[in-house]
Amino acid sequence: MPLSATDVVVHKGLFTIDVSVTNAAGNPVLDLAAWDLTLLDNGQPAKIRTFNDPMAASNSQPELIFVLDEVNLSAEQLTQTKRSISHFLLRNNGHLEIPCFLYRLTGDGLYSSLRPSTDGALLVKELEGTRSLWTVWRADLASWESGLTPTRLSLRALGAIAIGQRDVPGHKVVVWIGPGWPVSGGDISFDEATELSTRLREARITLDNLNVWLSPVPSINYRGSLDAPRSQKDMQPAKMALQVIATHTGGLVLDSSEDLDRDIERCVEEVRSFYTLTFNPPHTDTMDEYHDLRVALRVGVARPALALRAPTGYYNEPVYFDNPRAGIERVTVAQLEELVHSRTDLARKLANLELTERLSTPRLDELLKIIHGERERQALTADADLSIALAPPPDEIVNRPPPPLGEQRAILLRTFDYLQNTSPKLPDFYALRTTARFEEPPERDNESWKMPQPDQILHFAAGEHATVLYRNGHEVIEKKQKIGKRPVVRGVRARDLESRGTFGPILTFLLTAAASSSGTLSWKRWDRGKDGDLAVFTFRVSGTNSVPELTYCCLPEGNGTTLYRNRPDDYGEFAVNPETGAIMRIAINADLDEERGPDVPLIRSQIMVEYGPEELGGKNYICPQRSVEVSRGRTERELHEWGMVFSVYSYFETMINGIQPRRPSCARLHGTYGHARRWKRDPRSGISSRRPSVHRPLPTARDGSSGKGPTRDNAGAHQSVRP
């Protein structure tokens, strides 16, 4: 469906396509508005989420790429091709208006310019071989690669070009001069066709094919093979012809002018004349589901004889959106308690349920006393951790009217005073901390990146004992010891977690957020606390500098070190002792919405910390007693195609990192699901104290390199998960 003149669209869609519009004379049309266009996906209107016209300042610089095909051109044709490209590069004394790039395909490999350039003379040196090119890949004379057919060499080159250009922002026009590769015979798989189509779309490549040598061999009749393959049964060599692929990308196929210089000029004229729009594909459960795509003028737009060229289709995959596990039973806390007391098929039932209410720590403690099996205890703990952001059950909500506005303000003033004057005055200490992490099983080697994880049941994955020194508001982890053994995980999905954090930052964040002009505070309800009623307030903070930055390491591009950065709105609630202002519980949620931001790697990022009284050095302090973090985001997969190694997003995965309630009597027996904290005197402080620290994970790769995963920076407190 078209955008209207009043639509406000600020969030990109998952897919980006570029659309060329020309008039009857073949000249670019540059004055269309967003609402003039309609996008049809399998014949149905699709929402255009963002729209940029060719002159938009936000557009990335377009790029013109020439492919010098020494595999499929004769010596005479190659000479003419070089001459025509040189004519273009050297016009205007070699000062190019747009950056250009060169690929050279030979029988022993693919080579390219070092970088795009507007220096035409420099590119001519690369064209003529007087300036070295970078080796994209080179056929090993001792391997099967040395015997590749022209078809295989050409398709490998096109795939490698797509992979290389995926990381380059903006639209690219690839001009491939020549008749293309042979299409009679050869074994090309459907998977290769879908992968090539997908990578060309991701790279935003429009492929133009120019061929002026029609005699004595005419161009192939590619128009009879334009239907995209839907399965392996549909695969025919002609469906992977250069002209067919060019048409599918929305590119030009020029094979009748007999004027190569003029054909190149026509390609150049269109480089800056593409409209860019984004959209979301529909959700699907079918792998490699082909969708026809068409961009048309909206009915009623009085612009006759306009020609629109855009990609003609795409392959949809289930992993483009989240796929929650099927067959989950949703239960209340009361129903969960009844289930645990029944002890019937408990492991299976606990692994396949989802709470609709928050399971509080005291009730979790009571249920854990009943369960003796380790698997059941771990499953119950994971269920409780996933419920941290939910409302409590009705019997934990006090049926009491809200306090008058003046009393609400008085409670908040006591809370601010507590954060400013009481919380910072904690003694120094050493603490022994045990952390448990839950995650979904790693994928098997034969699983496709396109399908969701078949087993989304959370399992205990790793634990860690850590000795933590807290002094003057800073936390240092001095000693760590892993708990349990994990299976070896290879490739991009190998990940690990290291925990660190501080007592103060999360509460400081709350104070800063509440006091900022972008923050809002409001009354929520009365909750039943362990030692009396608790006043519960909600808060929301807009994405400003006062909001912790949410980062994700790393995006599947380049060398795997590009960070995703975002400052989403934060919202949540905190429960306070209305008499003292002490915060007893806080839950923070990043405002992440998959529909609103389908191209972001994270869709869930939450942290909860519960506090309780501890006697430290003969004095009572309110200290953290349980913390849980939940994150759900995209995993990455490393693929090997066309002699290239690259990463792609795969299915979504939930991970939990938590420090569970202090249970000294059972922690020694069941250290994998909970935590124990032992305390000893910090000899420098002279005070015997015990105090757990707020748990925040920090990514650390197995090999010691930088980790992959989301990081939540709360002024020194971090949330991290490594996919």
Side-chain angles (χ1 to χ4, degrees):
M1 65 184 68
L3 290 168
S4 71
T6 59
D7 278 341
V8 178
V9 180
V10 295
H11 298 286
K12 288 180 58 178
L14 192 62
F15 288 177
T16 301
I17 61 173
D18 299 283
V19 184
S20 169
V21 184
T22 56
N23 58 23
N27 299 318
V29 176
L30 306 178
D31 60 348
L32 292 180
W35 47 89
D36 292 329
L37 300 178
T38 298
L39 177 64
L40 299 175
D41 187 326
N42 273 349
Q44 299 299 315
K47 176 67 176 180
I48 299 175
R49 293 172 66 97
T50 61
F51 174 90
N52 279 344
D53 63 45
M55 309 307 294
S58 58
N59 286 345
S60 298
Q61 180 84 319
E63 187 178 330
L64 183 65
I65 300 172
F66 290 100
V67 179
L68 189 63
D69 184 355
E70 298 184 11
V71 170
N72 300 292
L73 289 176
S74 67
E76 182 180 354
Q77 292 169 340
L78 189 61
T79 298
Q80 184 179 355
T81 299
K82 289 182 178 180
R83 183 170 58 248
S84 294
I85 295 176
S86 295
H87 287 169
F88 163 72
L89 295 174
L90 293 177
R91 68 178 186 175
N92 194 28
N93 294 321
H95 300 295
L96 303 175
E97 296 180 359
I98 55 176
C100 294
F101 197 78
L102 176 68
Y103 283 96
R104 180 191 297 270
L105 173 62
T106 72
D108 63 356
L110 179 67
Y111 308 88
S112 77
S113 302
L114 294 177
R115 62 186 61 85
S117 176
T118 56
D119 185 345
L122 183 111
L123 292 167
V124 169
K125 291 180 180 179
E126 295 179 344
L127 184 70
E128 295 175 345
T130 59
R131 174 182 166 87
S132 298
L133 295 172
W134 179 69
T135 301
V136 180
W137 55 264
R138 183 177 178 85
D140 186 349
L141 297 179
S143 72
W144 63 272
E145 294 175 319
S146 61
L148 289 178
T149 64
T151 300
R152 279 291 171 197
L153 279 169
S154 304
L155 287 174
R156 179 175 177 181
L158 183 55
I161 291 171
I163 297 304
Q165 295 295 324
R166 286 170 77 237
D167 300 340
V168 180
H171 178 230
K172 303 100 187 173
V173 173
V174 174
V175 180
W176 193 305
I177 299 173
W181 42 86
V183 294
S184 57
D187 182 19
I188 301 175
S189 68
F190 175 62
D191 187 63
E192 184 176 0
T194 62
E195 284 291 325
L196 183 59
S197 172
T198 299
R199 305 310 158 208
L200 288 169
R201 173 183 56 76
E202 290 175 343
R204 291 179 59 189
I205 285 178
T206 299
L207 178 61
D208 289 347
N209 171 228
L210 313 183
N211 178 32
V212 298
W213 304 285
L214 300 182
S215 298
V217 180
S219 178
I220 66 168
N221 182 19
Y222 67 90
R223 292 177 178 82
S225 302
L226 288 178
D227 288 339
R230 263 71 171 178
S231 67
Q232 186 61 44
K233 291 182 179 180
D234 293 337
M235 282 308 304
Q236 303 169 5
K239 290 184 179 292
M240 295 294 282
L242 172 60
Q243 293 84 351
V244 172
I245 297 173
T247 303
H248 287 170
T249 67
L252 293 167
V253 177
L254 304 178
D255 57 5
S256 60
S257 71
E258 298 187 3
D259 186 343
L260 187 54
D261 286 9
R262 178 65 192 98
D263 286 350
I264 291 175
E265 285 293 336
R266 181 171 175 186
C267 296
V268 173
E269 288 171 2
E270 293 196 1
V271 170
R272 290 187 177 275
S273 64
F274 282 83
Y275 297 85
T276 300
L277 57 89
T278 69
F279 69 100
N280 284 344
H283 292 244
T284 182
D285 297 323
T286 304
M287 186 169 68
D288 297 330
E289 179 183 79
Y290 187 77
H291 284 235
D292 288 303
L293 202 62
R294 188 166 71 91
V295 181
L297 288 176
R298 181 174 54 85
V299 175
V301 176
R303 301 294 294 270
L306 295 188
L308 285 77
R309 286 187 291 103
T312 60
Y314 65 91
Y315 289 94
N316 202 9
E317 308 294 354
V319 297
Y320 288 147
F321 288 95
D322 189 22
N323 291 269
R325 186 156 53 107
I328 291 294
E329 182 182 3
R330 290 170 171 79
V331 300
T332 64
V333 169
Q335 291 171 326
L336 173 66
E337 291 172 328
E338 183 179 348
L339 170 64
V340 172
H341 283 87
S342 72
R343 305 189 184 184
T344 303
D345 195 16
L346 197 55
R348 183 189 64 82
K349 291 180 178 178
L350 288 174
N352 290 279
L353 65 80
E354 181 180 296
L355 283 164
T356 59
E357 301 164 338
R358 185 173 75 234
L359 180 60
S360 66
T361 298
R363 295 175 91 153
L364 173 61
D365 281 342
E366 293 302 315
L367 293 177
L368 287 171
K369 292 177 182 178
I370 301 172
I371 301 175
H372 300 291
E374 188 67 16
R375 288 181 57 198
E376 288 86 349
R377 298 175 71 86
Q378 293 172 3
L380 177 60
T381 302
D383 291 336
D385 289 350
L386 288 173
S387 72
I388 59 171
L390 300 176
D395 59 359
E396 294 181 21
I397 298 176
V398 180
N399 186 16
R400 176 179 169 183
L405 187 59
E407 178 58 25
Q408 293 180 29
R409 290 173 177 167
I411 294 173
L412 290 174
L413 286 175
R414 287 191 284 272
T415 299
F416 295 155
D417 180 73
Y418 166 80
L419 292 173
Q420 289 177 317
N421 301 315
T422 303
S423 178
K425 296 178 181 179
L426 287 171
D428 299 339
F429 66 89
Y430 278 105
L432 298 180
R433 182 186 66 191
T434 300
T435 303
R437 182 157 61 91
F438 295 89
E439 63 184 36
E440 299 172 16
E443 77 277 358
R444 300 180 180 90
D445 291 339
N446 60 348
E447 290 177 354
S448 171
W449 68 269
K450 305 172 184 179
M451 294 298 293
Q453 169 76 300
D455 181 6
Q456 297 186 35
I457 297 176
L458 289 166
H459 302 268
F460 171 76
E464 180 185 86
H465 291 305
T467 300
V468 181
L469 168 63
Y470 182 88
R471 179 186 290 118
N472 298 326
H474 298 284
E475 177 183 299
V476 179
I477 300 177
E478 295 195 335
K479 187 186 301 182
K480 294 181 294 182
Q481 178 184 357
K482 298 295 181 181
I483 303 173
K485 295 182 178 180
R486 301 179 63 203
V488 177
V489 182
R490 304 177 185 85
V492 178
R493 191 143 184 290
R495 71 263 196 235
D496 204 353
L497 283 178
E498 178 177 317
S499 298
R500 75 174 183 182
T502 61
F503 171 74
I506 192 171
L507 298 180
T508 302
F509 159 70
L510 177 61
L511 177 64
T512 303
S516 69
S517 60
S518 63
T520 58
L521 284 171
S522 60
W523 172 261
K524 182 66 173 179
R525 62 178 181 270
W526 290 103
D527 277 0
R528 201 177 309 281
K530 184 178 179 181
D531 300 313
D533 295 348
L534 299 177
V536 181
F537 292 87
T538 63
F539 66 91
R540 187 177 189 93
V541 188
S542 299
T544 64
N545 290 334
S546 64
V547 175
E549 183 177 65
L550 185 64
T551 63
Y552 177 94
C553 179
C554 292
L555 300 176
E557 58 188 51
N559 59 3
T561 62
T562 302
L563 283 176
Y564 164 79
R565 297 180 180 274
N566 190 15
R567 289 188 182 272
D569 291 1
D570 278 335
Y571 66 95
E573 64 179 36
F574 59 96
V576 304
N577 182 323
E579 304 301 325
T580 66
I583 295 178
M584 309 306 293
R585 183 181 185 277
I586 180 174
I588 302 176
N589 304 271
D591 189 6
L592 303 171
D593 178 49
E594 185 184 11
E595 175 61 26
R596 188 176 66 233
D599 58 336
V600 301
L602 290 174
I603 59 174
R604 184 177 183 181
S605 179
Q606 301 168 323
I607 182 169
M608 182 278 296
V609 184
E610 290 179 344
Y611 304 83
E614 293 283 353
E615 184 178 331
L616 311 178
K619 296 182 179 180
N620 288 324
Y621 293 90
I622 302 299
C623 298
Q625 292 189 336
R626 181 191 179 198
S627 66
V628 177
E629 293 145 292
V630 179
S631 179
R632 185 165 180 82
R634 299 179 187 269
T635 60
E636 292 182 39
R637 291 288 295 275
E638 190 174 83
L639 302 184
H640 300 254
E641 298 282 354
W642 308 294
M644 308 290 286
V645 180
F646 58 100
S647 296
V648 298
Y649 279 142
S650 189
Y651 53 78
F652 287 83
E653 178 187 43
T654 295
M655 300 183 75
I656 301 175
N657 213 352
I659 298 177
Q660 300 302 324
R662 186 166 163 262
R663 290 184 290 271
S665 61
C666 59
R668 289 189 292 273
L669 298 176
H670 305 284
T672 57
Y673 73 85
H675 80 193
R677 295 190 180 96
R678 302 189 188 94
W679 316 91
K680 65 179 180 179
R681 182 187 304 270
D682 179 356
R684 301 184 188 180
S685 68
I687 300 175
S688 177
S689 61
R690 54 178 183 167
R691 185 188 68 78
S693 62
V694 174
H695 164 241
R696 290 297 214 186
L698 177 72
T700 302
R702 294 180 185 274
D703 59 0
S705 61
S706 61
K708 290 178 180 290
T711 301
R712 185 66 175 277
D713 188 346
N714 284 328
H718 301 272
Q719 178 181 351
S720 310
V721 179
R722 289 180 56 74

